[in-house]
Amino acid sequence: MRKSLIGFLSATAIVGAALIVRAAIPSEIAINLHPIPTSSIIASDADALALDVTIAAPRGDILDALTVRQEGSAQWQRDLVAAKVWADAGPTGFQGIGVDRVLVTGAWNAETNGWAFSPIGEPVASAGTRLFVTVTTSANPTNGVTVQLAIPGF
């Protein structure tokens, strides 16, 4: 079985619009991107960390929906086959199954070249709520492609 490596680039500056926080005023939402510790993943890798972000809203609002855009060279179905949003539920940082909570699996949107995640229904604390987006690679991804996720709009 061929093992292809997919590289991760750091998250980009956030552009476009795609975060729905119930009752929050967009200018009051704060987003902090955290570095991704993984530099590469292999074929059929499930739940590889691709985005690590803390979202804060001043009034204890609810995150209803999130959209992320794939700005790297990896392509849907050829290289990537799924994406999920998780909430940090254990020690700080992503541990995955058994520690952190899966909130929703994304629906691919070819027009935006990314995933739409809804409904989420996660409380957003004024101090911040840490979320993760993971991807699952195909059985035979193209060697050397990259994954770079961005949240449009902020």
Side-chain angles (χ1 to χ4, degrees):
M1 178 170 115
R2 182 180 77 145
K3 291 188 176 183
S4 297
L5 295 179
I6 296 182
F8 282 92
L9 302 174
S10 51
T12 60
I14 301 172
V15 291
L19 180 69
I20 300 174
V21 179
R22 194 178 315 160
I25 298 168
S27 63
E28 295 178 338
I29 299 170
I31 294 181
N32 181 28
L33 295 172
H34 304 283
I36 304 295
T38 304
S39 60
S40 63
I41 55 177
I42 61 172
S44 300
D45 200 352
D47 300 324
L49 182 62
L51 184 68
D52 181 351
V53 61
T54 297
I55 300 172
R59 293 183 295 275
D61 297 307
I62 305 292
L63 177 65
D64 288 326
L66 173 68
T67 298
V68 297
R69 184 174 51 238
Q70 169 27 11
E71 295 183 342
S73 59
Q75 294 182 13
W76 174 243
Q77 294 182 327
R78 183 191 75 188
D79 305 309
L80 303 172
V81 296
K84 296 176 188 170
V85 171
W86 303 67
D88 198 2
T92 301
F94 183 69
Q95 282 82 45
I97 294 175
V99 177
D100 298 312
R101 290 182 298 112
V102 174
L103 299 176
V104 65
T105 298
W108 178 256
N109 182 330
E111 290 180 24
T112 63
N113 198 48
W115 289 273
F117 300 98
S118 178
I120 296 177
E122 181 69 10
V124 178
S126 59
T129 297
R130 194 157 183 181
L131 302 172
F132 311 104
V133 178
T134 61
V135 295
T136 299
T137 59
S138 69
N140 292 299
T142 305
N143 195 33
V145 296
T146 59
V147 175
Q148 185 174 20
L149 301 185
I151 301 171
F154 288 86

